[in-house]
Amino acid sequence: MAIDEEALHHSEETRRSGASSDDNRRHNKIVPDAPMSGRLPVKTPETQKAQIPPPRLLHPFLHNVPMHVRFGINGFLNNVLFMVAYNTAVVQFDGLAPPSTIYSIVYLIFIPVGHACISLLVFGWPERYVPSLMSNAPVGLTAIAIGAALTGYLDRMEFNGYVVNLVAQNWNYLGYAVTPTPEEEKGEFYSSLVVLVITGIWTFVLSVVINSPSEPSDKKEQ
């Protein structure tokens, strides 16, 4: 009986030690780390828009003005300055050069002036001014070619004198005695208006295509 009790006691200790070792293994079991996701953070249009710095305009207040309004203001100012300079040059150099040549020279001088104005008021000052000016120079050069050809054509058909006389006749019809002067008939006011409208539309389309900010590369890849 003593032997059976001793064997029974030994088997009980063996069972307890085995259960204890199983518990230790369970408690000391190393839990593997959760696999890291291989997906990268998704860039939403809002985050991409926040990363694009605003254009450097003449004053921060201009950011609150829509671009098409700023473009209209810029076009109005440039056209007024150009018309004053062009008509002054026509009077000063009358007989020395044809109107088409005077138009080309004045417009050529206004290319850097117009580019600086449109950069400060519409699209923002470029980081590299000279390359930006060179990329916009073909716009001005093609506008010079169109404007010079159109100015020469209107001058040959005496368009300005025709419009001056037509306006005077309408005023006389309304009861106002108006007699056009030779200076008004020889001027280029109405001809320059027609040329500015046509070349303004041309430069507007090309300027928007050239100076509009390009889309981010991340957006293109999507």
Side-chain angles (χ1 to χ4, degrees):
M1 292 294 294
I3 296 175
D4 294 338
E5 291 178 357
E6 183 178 356
L8 182 61
H9 179 71
H10 179 70
S11 62
E12 184 68 22
E13 289 182 352
T14 302
R15 186 181 64 80
R16 290 179 179 176
S17 62
S20 177
S21 62
D22 292 339
D23 293 339
N24 292 334
R25 282 196 298 269
R26 283 196 297 269
H27 287 296
N28 296 331
K29 184 178 180 181
I30 299 175
V31 180
D33 296 334
M36 297 180 62
S37 175
R39 298 176 61 186
L40 298 176
V42 179
K43 293 183 178 180
T44 62
E46 289 76 11
T47 57
Q48 292 179 352
K49 185 176 180 180
Q51 293 175 357
I52 301 176
R56 294 181 296 175
L57 299 177
L58 182 63
H59 193 275
F61 173 77
L62 294 174
H63 291 287
N64 301 324
V65 181
M67 179 179 287
H68 65 276
V69 176
R70 287 184 272 131
F71 203 102
I73 296 173
N74 171 78
F76 175 78
L77 294 176
N78 279 307
N79 289 337
V80 170
L81 292 176
F82 178 81
M83 288 182 63
V84 172
Y86 173 63
N87 286 279
T88 302
V90 168
V91 174
Q92 295 295 327
F93 299 99
D94 184 26
L96 299 178
S100 58
T101 303
I102 297 175
Y103 175 89
S104 302
I105 296 174
V106 175
Y107 202 106
L108 186 64
I109 296 174
F110 262 77
I111 288 179
V113 176
H115 178 260
C117 291
I118 201 172
S119 298
L120 292 173
L121 297 177
V122 183
F123 298 108
W125 193 260
E127 295 182 358
R128 296 181 297 175
Y129 180 77
V130 175
S132 178
L133 177 61
M134 292 297 101
S135 64
N136 284 268
V139 179
L141 295 177
T142 54
I144 287 176
I146 296 173
L150 189 58
T151 301
Y153 173 75
L154 295 176
D155 183 62
R156 287 193 300 271
M157 64 177 298
E158 298 180 354
F159 176 80
N160 194 83
Y162 171 76
V163 176
V164 169
N165 291 323
L166 182 62
V167 172
Q169 290 176 6
N170 290 330
W171 282 113
N172 293 330
Y173 179 78
L174 295 175
Y176 300 94
V178 176
T179 302
T181 62
E183 290 77 11
E184 291 176 345
E185 294 180 354
K186 292 181 180 179
E188 295 292 332
F189 178 77
Y190 294 104
S191 298
S192 61
L193 283 180
V194 175
V195 173
L196 281 177
V197 170
I198 296 176
T199 56
I201 297 174
W202 173 260
T203 55
F204 170 78
V205 175
L206 293 185
S207 297
V208 170
V209 173
I210 294 175
N211 296 288
S212 295
S214 58
E215 296 181 355
S217 58
D218 296 337
K219 186 175 180 180
K220 292 181 180 179
E221 292 176 357
Q222 292 179 357

